Amino acid sequence: MQEMHKIIVSIFRIFKLNFQKHLKRIEIQMKKIIFIVLFIASSLYAQIKFDANFESGNLSTVTTTDSVNYELRTIEDVGGRWFYFKITGMKDKLISVKILNSDVKRPFYSYDNYNFQRFTADESPKTNLFQKVFEFNTVYVSYYAPYTYTYLQERLNTWGKSDYVIVDTLGFTDHNLPLQEITITDPLTPHEQKLHVWIHARTHPGETPSSFQFDGIVQKLLSDDDVIDFYRKKTIFHLYPFNNPEGVYFGRSRTNFYGVDQEREWNKEDNATASEVVMLKNRMKEILNENNIEVFLNLHSQVSPYCTFWIHTPGSTSDYFYRREYQFSNLNISDNPYFYKEDLSESNLQPYFPEGWLWANHGDKVLALTYETPYDRYSNDVWVTNENLYELGYRTVYSIGEYLELSHPKHLILDNKDAALSGNWKSGEVGLNFFSDDYAEISNGFESENASFNSGELESGIYDVYAWWPEFEDNSFNTRFTISKGFESTIIEKTQRANGGQWNFLSEIKLNNAENISINVNANSSGKVIADAFRIIYRGSVSSMQEINLPTSFILYQNYPNPFNPSTTIRVELKKSQNVMLRVFNTLGQTIAVLADDFLAEGGHEFIFNASQHRNLSSGIYYYQLISADHSETKGMALVK
C-alpha cells in the first residue's frame, strides 16, 4: 500500500511539473503576442510628429486623445490665420486635423515641400479641418502654398540674369535679412522721360497669394514680347517682393518679428516706425524728389472670396482721384474672368496706410490703390491657384500700360482726343466709367455726323477691335460702329445703355497686307451716342489664324435654340479630361447660374439652361462662359419672352 502511494505521488509531481512548464510556455507566448500588438500600435500612431521649426513655419500647440484626431493652434499675432507645419510618421495612416484659430478652406499639402496642392472637398469637408491617409511618411501642410524667403532668392537669381533687371538692397532688418528691390526697365533707352510705377507685396507675411500675383507681374515684364518691350522702354518698374522679410521668414500672419503691423506705420515719426517702413519711405522719397510715381499698387490677400481694389471715397480724397481709381480698376477688371465690378470695395482713406501717406504728401499725382486677391475662391466660384494668380499678374501689367495710355501698334489705344469729329459733338466728363480725361458725345444727331478714329498703318495679321464707353440711361440702344480697312467695311451695332466702363469686343479684322484700320461712330436718333476710346490688339499672323482661333483645350458651341424661351442647350467639346466651369451671367457681369464646376471627361457634354428656374429674368442678352486652366471663352445668347 505504501508503495502504491509513492507511485501516485510521483505521477502527480510529474504531471504538476509538466503542467507548470506548459503554463510557462503559454505565458511566454501571450507576452509575445501582447508585445507584437503594442509594437504595431506604436508603429501606427505613436510616431506621428508635428514640427514647424523651419523657415516660414507656424505652429503653437498640438493635442490628441486617440492619436488619430488632432487639434492644433497657430502662433497668433494680429489673428492666427497663417499656418505651415510638417507631419512625420504618416505613411498609410489616417489622420484628422482641426486648426482651432484659423479660417482656412481646403488648405494645401506637399510631400516634397515644393509642389503644393489643395486638399479635395472630401479631404477638407469643413473650415479648418482636413483628414487624409497620406502616401508618404512626411507631409507639409499650409494655409496657402508657401512663398518663402529662400524661394524668392531662387526667383531673384533667375530674374537677375535678364539685361532688364537690377536687383538691389535698400537695407537690412534687425535679423540681417535684406529688404530687396527689383528694378525693371530697358537700360538702353534714356530714363529722363520714363514713367515710374511702384508695386510692393507681403507687408502681411501670411498673404502668400499676393506673392504669386507679384511673380506673374515680373514674369510678364520679362517676357519676349513687342508690347512689353515697348512698356520697358517707356516705364521704370520699382518692385518690392517682401516689404516684411522678417515676418515672412519667421512665419507671422500679419506682423513683423516684433508684432508690429507695418501696414499701419506710414504716418509715424521715423524713430517710432518699423525699420522696414522707414527704408521704403526713404526710397519712395528719393524717387519722388526727381520724378512722379504714376501708379502705386499695394498687393495683399484677403479671406473674402473675391478680388478687390480698395477705392478711396471722394470725401477722403477728391472727385478726380476717385474717378481715376475707378478707371484703373475697370481696366484691370475688363476681360478678366476672375474679377467683376461687383467685387470692388470702397473705404475712407486712412493716413496710416501707405496710400494715405502718398495722398498727404503728393495728393492726386500718384494713383495709389490696394489690390486684394483671395485665398480660396473667386466670385465666379473658381478655386484660386498659383496659375490663375500669375494670370492676374499678367493682366495687371496690361492694365497699367492702358491706364498710362502706352499705345503700341500691337496693343493700340485710340482715345477721343485724337478723333476727327464731324458735327455737333461735345466733350463729356460725367460719371466714373469713361476712359482717360473725357469722352465725346452727341444727342439726336444725323448719321452724317460722326467721330472717326484711325489706327495708322499696321502690319498684316489678325486684330481684335474693342470699344469703351460710359453707360447712361439716355444713351443710344443701337450705336453703329463701322470698321473699315481699304474698301471693306464691317458694321456692328451695340447698345451703349449697358456694359460701360469696360472693353467691349466689336469684331475681328484680318489684314492681308500692311494697312490702316479706321473706326467711325455715327450719331442717331435713338439716344446719346458716345465716342470714347478703342483698343486694337494684334493676335497673330494671318497664316496662323486657324491655330489662333481654336481654343487649346475645348470648343464652346453656340447655344441652341437661340433666341430661346424658356430653355436652351449649351454644348461643349473637351479635347482632354480637365476641370472646367460653365457659368451664365448678365450684361452687368452678375452670375445667374453655374451649370458646371467639376472635372469632366474628354469628349462632348451638353448643359441645359432654363430661364424659368431663375426669378425675374427679363428678355435680353445673356452670356455663357466656359473656363479651364488655360483658356476661357464667352458667347452671347438672347432670351425672348
Side-chain angles (χ1 to χ4, degrees), residues 81 207-210 254 299-303 371-375:
R81 178 172 299 151
E207 298 175 1
T208 60
S210 66
R254 291 178 65 85
L299 303 186
H300 283 263
S301 298
Q302 63 179 9
V303 70
Y371 189 162
E372 304 257 15
T373 50
Y375 293 96

Side-chain angles (χ1 to χ4, degrees), residues 170 179-183 197-202 214 237-243 280 283-284 287:
L170 300 186
L179 185 59
Q180 294 166 303
E181 176 188 53
I182 309 165
T183 304
V197 173
W198 176 296
I199 304 174
H200 70 219
R202 295 296 286 282
F214 182 98
F237 290 86
H238 305 273
L239 310 173
Y240 305 87
F242 285 0
N243 272 15
L280 290 164
R283 177 58 177 144
M284 195 175 290
I287 297 170

Side-chain angles (χ1 to χ4, degrees), residues 46-90:
Q47 294 181 12
I48 293 178
K49 296 180 180 179
F50 291 77
D51 174 36
N53 189 25
F54 50 83
E55 184 184 341
S56 293
N58 185 321
L59 178 63
S60 177
T61 62
V62 182
T63 59
T64 182
T65 56
D66 55 12
S67 297
V68 175
N69 297 284
Y70 289 81
E71 291 187 344
L72 278 60
R73 285 191 178 276
T74 68
I75 300 171
E76 296 191 20
D77 41 54
V78 182
R81 178 172 299 151
W82 174 254
F83 58 82
Y84 179 25
F85 53 83
K86 176 176 66 174
I87 317 175
T88 55
M90 288 304 306

